[in-house]
Amino acid sequence: MTVPRPLLLATALLVAATGAHAATVIRGARVIDGTGAPAKEDVTLVVDGDHFSMVGPGLRVKMPDGTKVVDYTGKTIIPGLISDHSHIGLVDGTKAGQPALYSRENALRQLRQWRAYGVTTVTTLGINNPEVFYPLRADLHAGKADGADLFGADHGIGVPNGAPPAKMMQAGSSQLDRPATPDEARAAVDAAAARGTDLVKIWVDDFNGTLPVKMTPEIWRAVIAEAHAKHLRVAAHVYYLDDARKLVDDGVDILAHGVRDKPVDQGFIDAMKQHGTWYIATLDLNEAAYIYARHPAWMDQPFFSHAVQPALATQFADSAWRDKVRDDRATPVNEAALKTNEQNFKRIYDAGGKVGFGTDSGATPLRIPGFAEHRELALMVDAGLSPLQALNVATERAASLLGLDDRGVIANGKRADFVVLGSDPTNDIEASTHIEAVWQRGVQVSGKVTDFTP
Ligand SMILES: [Zn+2]
């Protein structure tokens, strides 16, 4: 027997209203649920505590007394965005890489910015100080701290005299391991596992030939084997196709950047699919290295300026800085890397590869928390995805990469983490920037970004 829908919703409302938590009914909105499905008009959402207890077509039912009703007629709701690759506590203004920046206060400043920009879950992929990171993660998971929810990869495993570059990341042994032998690498994994890390991070790159050494296969194989023995997955910083191919064949779980030196081939894509390897393109990363020196029109919009701390805004306005970036030999390399990254991402996406969402925001001052994620959406569309596909990558698929089934879509039983937009991004992804409100765990936590001070 099929129960008519109006009765189901009315029952859910009564249960919600008489349960332990006060219910909130959100009605009138267009909903993009994160699965890639088309938007649905006039959806009613019942929020019970921190999750959705009912999601269905709009209905005119009598609300039980005490039910809070929010009318979002004309607005579009999307799930909160999820970053699979960011960093906390590495930058503040134009300062970067100093261990003192890894404070709870500075990390929370950034996590509030991500959240105000609609990114409700953030993964800090290495270079974390465990004394700050673990208590902060626990408090954010429990709703006892104010900012995006947090996951992370403990210290991360770099290379002596290699990646990540010491001049970029001055972090010492309190934030980073640089094992010289497989035994030391296994010990680093064991220590991170004992502290409760979510993932293990490795760096396999020479940063455009600027570093004398790269991580050797014997080190990464030791890391992957030890991590898997501890039921942990390994995410690798990569740049070159040859390294990515070897890592996939050796069982790495996540490529934390796109391949940017050459086009990916079918053999590589087949290997990724056979091993179930995840791929995070980080398209915005290379663009961020040069784009601000060109002052595109969007830099004059409040959506951008409210994400930029004063010291960084001063840098962007400095013509000497802009000339330096424009004349930098790295600029054409970064432009080409973006183009190759977009083409590779589209090819892997079309082939049915497992793609996550991330920008490496927070790794340097130019990778601006929250703003970077919206550029990434725009660049995914530039690469050939539809806006609904790009949003699916940034929500449902990003949650899936993290192994989280409690978020990433708008559906019964999922966390009520969502973003209210003033216009519909279905045909123009730019609408993702028209944020009117952000809700986290069933509560509105912010309004327009113009109310946010970076
Ligand atoms: Zn990173």
Side-chain angles (χ1 to χ4, degrees):
M1 190 188 92
T2 307
V3 180
R5 277 196 164 273
L7 182 57
L8 266 176
L9 182 58
T11 306
L13 284 172
L14 282 166
V15 171
T18 54
H21 309 284
T24 302
V25 174
I26 295 165
R27 58 184 184 190
R30 177 184 300 114
V31 169
I32 291 172
D33 67 7
T35 66
K40 294 181 185 71
E41 301 294 330
D42 194 15
V43 175
T44 298
L45 308 163
V46 180
V47 175
D48 185 9
D50 62 3
H51 64 279
F52 295 115
S53 59
M54 187 77 201
V55 176
L59 295 159
R60 303 200 193 291
V61 293
K62 188 175 181 302
M63 305 297 171
D65 289 347
T67 305
K68 188 179 164 198
V69 179
V70 179
D71 194 318
Y72 277 141
T73 300
K75 311 297 181 196
T76 302
I77 288 176
I78 62 171
L81 306 181
I82 296 170
S83 169
D84 295 322
H85 188 169
S86 294
H87 296 274
I88 60 167
L90 301 183
V91 302
D92 187 11
T94 54
K95 288 182 285 188
Q98 302 152 18
L101 297 176
Y102 204 101
S103 67
R104 180 182 174 99
E105 185 184 33
N106 193 32
L108 279 169
R109 175 187 65 77
Q110 297 176 297
L111 289 162
R112 282 192 293 271
Q113 177 160 328
W114 267 298
R115 193 180 63 178
Y117 277 74
V119 184
T120 49
T121 301
V122 167
T123 309
T124 175
L125 212 50
I127 321 182
N128 298 294
N129 179 339
E131 287 181 20
V132 176
F133 169 69
Y134 289 104
L136 180 58
R137 183 185 68 172
D139 285 349
L140 288 159
H141 283 350
K144 291 178 182 165
D146 204 22
D149 197 13
L150 184 65
F151 295 85
D154 200 87
H155 285 173
I157 297 174
V159 181
N161 304 311
K167 66 175 167 58
M168 182 172 151
M169 305 292 176
Q170 296 147 37
S173 57
S174 67
Q175 284 177 260
L176 191 63
D177 297 307
R178 295 185 188 270
T181 66
D183 276 347
E184 287 179 17
R186 281 186 282 269
V189 173
D190 291 350
R195 288 188 287 261
T197 193
D198 298 300
L199 295 161
V200 173
K201 171 76 175 284
I202 57 175
W203 279 264
V204 183
D205 192 8
D206 63 5
F207 285 69
N208 273 315
T210 60
L211 299 170
V213 287
K214 261 201 286 198
M215 183 177 283
T216 60
E218 69 166 348
I219 298 286
W220 79 55
R221 286 179 193 141
V223 170
I224 292 169
E226 191 69 8
H228 289 177
K230 302 273 179 184
H231 308 290
L232 290 168
R233 295 182 301 153
V234 179
H237 169 115
V238 291
Y239 186 94
Y240 305 105
L241 177 60
D242 286 352
D243 292 332
R245 194 191 312 274
K246 288 178 196 155
L247 285 159
V248 169
D249 288 343
D250 284 339
V252 82
D253 303 277
I254 300 162
L255 296 172
H257 294 286
V259 168
R260 289 161 282 170
D261 63 323
K262 55 177 83 156
V264 294
D265 54 75
Q266 195 58 43
F268 173 71
I269 295 173
D270 290 345
M272 271 185 61
K273 291 182 72 178
Q274 186 199 327
H275 286 93
T277 318
W278 285 92
Y279 188 91
I280 308 169
T282 64
L283 303 172
D284 172 70
L285 183 159
N286 294 94
E287 187 194 63
Y290 61 84
I291 196 71
Y292 304 119
R294 297 182 182 173
H295 203 93
W298 47 252
M299 285 179 76
D300 295 323
Q301 301 293 322
F303 189 78
F304 179 73
S305 60
H306 281 266
V308 179
Q309 291 177 276
L312 191 57
T314 301
Q315 178 179 291
F316 291 154
D318 176 4
S319 60
W321 178 81
R322 294 210 300 264
D323 290 349
K324 185 168 152 258
V325 173
R326 194 192 54 216
D327 299 338
D328 192 332
R329 278 182 307 166
T331 291
V333 176
N334 279 311
E335 282 185 278
L338 171 60
K339 195 161 224 171
T340 303
N341 202 2
E342 284 190 351
Q343 287 164 353
N344 286 339
F345 174 68
K346 179 65 162 60
R347 182 149 185 211
I348 289 165
Y349 180 89
D350 286 346
K354 293 163 75 170
V355 296
F357 181 69
T359 64
D360 213 357
S361 50
T364 74
L366 299 177
R367 303 184 199 158
I368 301 166
F371 183 80
E373 283 74 14
H374 289 270
R375 275 308 290 165
E376 189 77 11
L377 287 172
L379 292 170
M380 280 197 278
V381 171
D382 196 45
L385 272 64
S386 73
L388 289 175
Q389 289 173 332
L391 287 167
N392 167 242
V393 171
T395 59
E396 183 182 37
R397 294 190 191 209
S400 182
L401 181 146
L402 291 172
L404 299 174
D405 63 4
D406 66 344
R407 69 194 76 186
V409 294
I410 291 176
N412 283 350
K414 303 296 182 182
R415 279 170 63 118
D417 292 351
F418 59 94
V419 186
V420 182
L421 303 175
S423 48
D424 181 357
T426 299
N427 296 313
D428 184 358
I429 195 60
E430 203 258 337
S432 78
T433 68
H434 302 175
I435 294 172
E436 304 227 336
V438 177
W439 290 59
Q440 183 187 38
R441 295 168 163 271
V443 177
Q444 185 182 338
V445 289
S446 61
K448 296 186 179 191
V449 300
T450 46
D451 296 333
F452 180 79
T453 305

